[in-house]
Amino acid sequence: MATKNWPLWEIFVRSKNGLEHRHFGSLHAADADMALENARDVYTRRNEGVSIWVVESKHITASNPENNGELFEPAQDKVYRHPTFYDVPDEVKHM
Amino acid sequence: MSEEQIRSLERNFNERIERDEKIEPKDWMPEKYRQTHIRQISQHAHSEIVGMLPEGNWITRAPSLRRKVALLAKVQDEAGHGLYLYSACETLGVTRDELYEQLHTGKAKYSSIFNYPALTWADMGAIGWLVDGAAIINQVPLCNTSYGPYARAMIRVCKEESFHQRQGFEIMLKLANGTPEQKELAQDALNRWWWPSLMMLGPTDDKSVHTEQSMKWKLKRKTNDELRQQFIDQTVPQADVLGLTIPDPDLKWNEERQSYDFGEIDWDEFWQVVKGHGPMNKERMKARVGAWERGTWVRDAAMAYAEKKRARKEKEAV
Amino acid sequence: MKNENLYNYILGIADNSLILGQRLGELTGHGPNLETDIACTNISLDLFGQVRSYFQYAGKIAGDGRSEDDIAMLRKEREYKNVLLVEQPNTNFAYTIARQFLFDAYHLAFLKELQKSPDLTLSAIANKCVKEVSYHERFSSDWVRRLGDGTEESREKMQEAINDLWMYTDELFHQTEADKAVVAEGIGVDVTNLKTAYYAYVAEVLEEATLEVPETKYFQKGGKNGVHTEHLGYILAELQYMQRTYPNMEW
């Protein structure tokens, strides 16, 4: 039988409650259950996590860096989205 | 794409690296950058997993339970590091299986140091102290390298490896302060691992083919000779603490350079081992290929099971 | 020794973890792939951690200054009390998994009972171990299903391993004289009570794995009383090598 390789999974770990899951890396596993178990052994052997998400890498859709100009640059000059854009007298507190 | 366009992309790319911007997997990159990174990262990954073998072979014989768990954890970390690095490599569009194929057919290289045999328990000390010591010198600057996934993998590796060298040094210290027999074990291990450790930092600068380009891409921050000097300068005082003698009659402190002068390295031996004729090259490859081949039916079974399970789930859902 | 029965009882528990940990340690670097290699090493590490807790306690009970390493590495062949199952070799990955599963299913049930022991040290160790071993059992039973219900080849290999190791399962539920005495004191676990549930559970997993429950009625025993298979001598040769070659040294 021709060998079929174990697919690649992306691993996200919540390092403690209150924090978001963060991308930790990837690994290979035959299925989702195994991916979870492997992630536990590979990425949390030093007590790094309290929760794990796994997602098969092929299911991730990524933006294309070639479009970075149109995707992200228009946000650069929208200064009115930031509090520093607005002038408020110094004596006004709690704002 | 016209040549002019490619040149402009390359210029832009090089400027990004100079500005210390990271390159990420989907970014445009010169083909040579991709190939060089695949080669270096996979070589690094291969070194981790071949490096498991000389130490792994002492797990069942470790002299105490404390040493046994430390060694197990260390060798396991090496598997983990191999895994992180293979993953980083895979972001460049090559699969782990392809990389294994390159290793198993001898197309890809790994660190030559692992082609030396681990003969006594003291070798576990010497490997941790010297080999991991030399590796750290190589690896720390890579936490800042230009390719994002490699840099991130190296940050994780360096963080985890911090106990490896201490583990080795502690073994040496215990031996050096032990019975005369133990001290002899330690000295003998130092004698055998010293020169291969120096060679591990790569051929001299005038013989090194990749240095200039690698410097530009931050795959390398210092030359091989600089790294070697740094390694010697920091290791000699550690040997003094151990009360062991570095097996180099020409080794002496150079006041003017504020560095140690050292003897001639046997580069013939280095190239012989690199070319596959070291004491353990064949044995190491046999172990790797054997494990992989014995595992084929296991990996196939897991895939077949996963597919059956998926099919059953889909059927239930209907 | 004041409490020789308890001492021997603890050794009986710990030696299983010691010898199985040693067997798994042989595999580090030689697993079917990196992820599985790391997982098996984790189990080995858990087992050696357990061994240290048990032997430190046993050393205290012995009260003659013996360290965990003295107990682990300086006994004679006939003084090791592990069951025959755990000393069986890593013939192939199916054997490794079958051995692990057949032991884990017992080990987990055993620890759940040991948690209730009025001996506070033993129940504390059991509390810690039960979490580790729950994971081992999950890992090994998952792999039994995978290999059993995987390919034709893997099913054959898995069935063969189960068939070959089956004769060592009955011993898990035997009691030595020391075991009986410690059970009578209310401290130890009466393993004979675990047997029915064990075989029912194992049969359930094997069925899910499309494997057959072996029909043999002939079983091997002896490990608990120090009468082992030929494999143990080689395991000890490696385990004890350093302590025997360089006696009375610190490492």
Side-chain angles (χ1 to χ4, degrees):
Chain A
M1 158 174 178
T3 303
K4 218 174 140 196
N5 301 330
W6 289 5
L8 194 65
W9 299 74
E10 300 302 321
I11 311 303
F12 300 82
V13 177
R14 185 201 295 288
S15 33
K16 62 178 190 196
N17 276 349
L19 298 180
E20 66 275 65
H21 285 77
R22 198 167 62 79
H23 185 235
F24 261 46
S26 48
L27 49 73
H28 289 270
D31 55 49
D33 292 332
M34 195 204 273
L36 272 176
E37 289 176 15
N38 290 349
R40 177 255 196 198
D41 288 331
V42 171
Y43 288 105
T44 66
R45 15 184 233 293
R46 285 178 170 78
N47 202 17
E48 292 100 330
V50 295
S51 164
I52 303 174
W53 289 346
V54 299
V55 56
E56 206 176 328
S57 308
K58 69 174 185 197
H59 295 312
I60 289 182
T61 309
S63 64
N64 186 340
E66 277 172 33
N67 301 333
N68 276 11
E70 61 196 72
L71 286 175
F72 306 116
E73 277 172 29
Q76 283 171 6
D77 65 352
K78 308 290 192 292
V79 285
Y80 44 80
R81 291 196 206 278
H82 301 277
T84 45
F85 178 72
Y86 301 94
D87 288 328
V88 174
D90 287 347
E91 55 268 33
V92 177
K93 303 292 179 200
H94 308 297
M95 194 175 280
Chain B
M1 228 183 298
S2 75
E3 268 183 48
E4 181 48 45
Q5 278 172 309
I6 291 181
R7 263 201 299 277
S8 145
L9 279 169
E10 273 184 26
R11 208 165 28 244
N12 184 16
F13 178 84
N14 290 332
E15 282 165 11
R16 286 182 64 195
I17 293 184
E18 272 164 39
R19 283 197 303 270
D20 256 336
E21 266 183 50
K22 296 285 185 235
I23 306 302
E24 293 297 343
K26 290 180 79 105
D27 292 346
W28 183 88
M29 60 186 78
E31 191 49 28
K32 196 165 166 235
Y33 181 90
R34 183 191 304 278
Q35 292 306 334
T36 304
H37 275 76
I38 290 177
R39 197 186 62 237
Q40 175 163 335
I41 302 172
S42 66
Q43 201 167 314
H44 196 159
H46 297 328
S47 300
E48 294 282 355
I49 61 160
V50 177
M52 295 171 74
L53 298 169
E55 291 176 290
N57 118 57
W58 275 91
I59 287 170
T60 56
R61 290 177 292 170
S64 72
L65 292 172
R66 180 172 178 271
R67 293 287 175 216
K68 198 187 287 282
V69 291
L71 188 61
L72 264 168
K74 185 191 175 210
V75 180
Q76 184 192 40
D77 272 352
E78 281 155 12
H81 299 168
L83 194 153
Y84 307 154
L85 290 161
Y86 283 123
S87 298
C89 211
E90 284 181 272
T91 63
L92 290 162
V94 56
T95 67
R96 195 197 291 175
D97 297 62
E98 286 166 344
L99 296 172
Y100 272 171
E101 180 68 21
Q102 293 174 2
L103 173 68
H104 295 162
T105 54
K107 224 183 109 197
K109 296 268 179 279
Y110 56 89
S111 184
S112 268
I113 192 110
F114 303 118
N115 291 319
Y116 290 86
L119 301 178
T120 73
W121 171 251
D123 291 22
M124 297 304 99
I127 290 175
W129 172 39
L130 301 173
V131 178
D132 287 286
I136 290 168
I137 283 187
N138 243 330
Q139 288 172 353
V140 168
L142 287 173
C143 296
N144 251 322
T145 191
S146 65
Y147 187 56
Y150 191 24
R152 290 192 288 276
M154 288 317 301
I155 288 172
R156 192 174 287 279
V157 168
C158 286
K159 211 162 106 191
E160 296 187 352
E161 279 215 346
S162 53
F163 96 80
H164 293 184
Q165 199 193 8
R166 294 172 75 108
Q167 180 257 170
F169 190 79
E170 199 197 68
I171 291 174
M172 291 303 269
L173 193 62
K174 200 85 183 173
L175 295 173
N177 294 331
T179 64
E181 226 176 338
Q182 284 175 304
K183 192 161 181 180
E184 200 180 303
L185 278 176
Q187 182 64 55
D188 167 65
L190 171 57
N191 293 350
R192 283 181 289 107
W193 290 94
W194 174 253
W195 292 105
S197 300
L198 297 190
M199 295 178 200
M200 189 183 157
L201 293 154
T204 49
D205 295 349
D206 53 326
K207 296 273 181 343
S208 177
V209 266
H210 308 299
T211 300
E212 201 191 331
Q213 181 68 80
S214 298
M215 290 275 203
K216 226 184 253 165
W217 288 338
K218 299 178 181 173
L219 265 175
K220 229 174 162 41
R221 314 302 291 255
K222 288 181 181 172
T223 70
N224 293 348
D225 287 336
E226 286 168 342
L227 292 170
R228 193 162 14 248
Q229 187 69 60
Q230 183 189 340
F231 174 72
I232 293 170
D233 289 348
Q234 72 182 46
T235 309
V236 173
Q238 294 168 353
D240 291 342
V241 172
L242 293 171
L244 299 176
T245 310
I246 304 269
D248 178 358
D250 296 325
L251 186 84
K252 67 168 187 293
W253 179 250
N254 182 325
E255 193 57 42
E256 199 181 314
R257 287 201 306 122
Q258 288 291 303
S259 256
Y260 283 93
D261 293 335
F262 55 96
E264 194 64 40
I265 293 172
D266 182 355
W267 291 109
D268 287 343
E269 176 182 316
F270 174 78
W271 291 113
Q272 181 183 330
V273 179
V274 168
K275 286 180 179 137
H277 306 289
M280 298 298 281
N281 297 57
K282 291 199 173 67
E283 197 72 30
R284 299 290 183 240
M285 266 319 96
K286 223 168 80 189
R288 283 312 321 156
V289 173
W292 187 244
E293 285 176 352
R294 281 192 304 278
T296 305
W297 70 269
V298 178
R299 297 188 303 275
D300 285 349
M303 278 312 285
Y305 177 75
E307 267 156 41
K308 280 186 200 175
K309 211 165 67 169
R310 187 160 43 232
R312 276 198 289 266
K313 222 181 216 167
E314 272 163 24
K315 214 169 139 193
E316 271 169 33
V318 170
Chain C
M1 199 186 305
K2 214 172 72 194
N3 208 338
E4 195 158 358
N5 282 332
L6 183 58
Y7 173 83
N8 283 322
Y9 181 71
I10 294 167
L11 261 49
I13 307 170
D15 283 350
N16 288 335
S17 296
L18 174 69
I19 299 303
L20 187 55
Q22 190 76 0
R23 275 295 189 213
L24 289 169
E26 293 170 11
L27 281 177
T28 303
H30 306 276
N33 68 356
L34 275 180
E35 284 83 355
T36 319
D37 202 302
I38 291 171
C40 290
T41 306
N42 250 5
I43 297 178
S44 178
L45 275 169
D46 284 344
L47 292 170
F48 282 118
Q50 300 172 5
V51 168
R52 297 185 68 188
S53 306
Y54 287 124
F55 284 168
Q56 282 162 14
Y57 184 36
K60 233 181 256 168
I61 292 168
D64 54 5
R66 262 184 302 169
S67 68
E68 57 180 47
D69 293 323
D70 296 337
I71 299 174
M73 298 173 182
L74 291 175
R75 280 179 284 152
K76 304 201 171 60
E77 299 91 329
R78 293 289 310 279
E79 292 166 351
Y80 284 82
K81 301 171 197 308
N82 59 283
V83 291
L84 302 177
L85 175 65
V86 295
E87 67 200 43
Q88 300 310 306
N90 299 306
T91 308
N92 61 36
F93 195 64
Y95 279 79
T96 301
I97 289 299
R99 183 186 64 208
Q100 194 65 37
F101 171 63
L102 293 174
F103 180 69
D104 289 342
Y106 156 81
H107 198 195
L108 183 57
F110 171 81
L111 288 170
K112 282 182 177 164
E113 289 304 309
L114 191 64
Q115 283 182 297
K116 302 173 196 158
S117 173
D119 181 309
L120 294 180
T121 309
L122 279 183
S123 64
I125 297 174
N127 277 335
K128 179 177 171 287
C129 295
V130 87
K131 295 189 191 105
E132 295 170 347
V133 174
S134 299
Y135 188 79
H136 303 173
E137 198 278 326
R138 196 167 110 172
F139 174 85
S140 62
S141 61
D142 276 355
W143 269 104
V144 168
R145 291 186 194 95
R146 255 180 219 123
L147 298 181
D149 194 16
T151 62
E152 199 45 50
E153 183 187 5
S154 72
R155 203 176 75 87
E156 266 170 37
K157 286 196 156 82
M158 198 63 220
Q159 186 69 60
E160 188 193 2
I162 292 282
N163 291 351
D164 276 3
L165 295 178
W166 196 256
M167 65 177 169
Y168 301 113
T169 52
D170 190 65
E171 190 194 7
L172 293 163
F173 308 99
H174 288 211
Q175 288 183 314
T176 62
E177 291 311 310
D179 294 346
K180 284 179 193 158
V182 176
V183 170
E185 285 174 55
I187 290 172
V189 176
D190 186 348
V191 289
T192 57
N193 292 335
L194 306 176
K195 188 169 171 176
T196 314
Y198 171 86
Y199 280 110
Y201 174 70
V202 168
E204 195 183 301
V205 172
L206 292 183
E207 196 189 325
E208 283 171 34
T210 71
L211 295 167
E212 275 159 33
V213 178
E215 278 178 19
T216 180
K217 295 280 176 279
Y218 300 100
F219 293 98
Q220 294 298 319
K221 61 175 192 296
K224 285 187 173 182
N225 285 311
V227 183
H228 291 274
T229 61
E230 289 180 351
H231 299 298
L232 188 74
Y234 294 98
I235 296 175
L236 296 185
E238 294 192 9
L239 178 68
Q240 301 190 341
Y241 164 69
M242 287 296 293
Q243 293 275 349
R244 298 290 183 194
T245 311
Y246 304 92
N248 304 316
M249 295 183 204
E250 300 239 333
W251 301 96

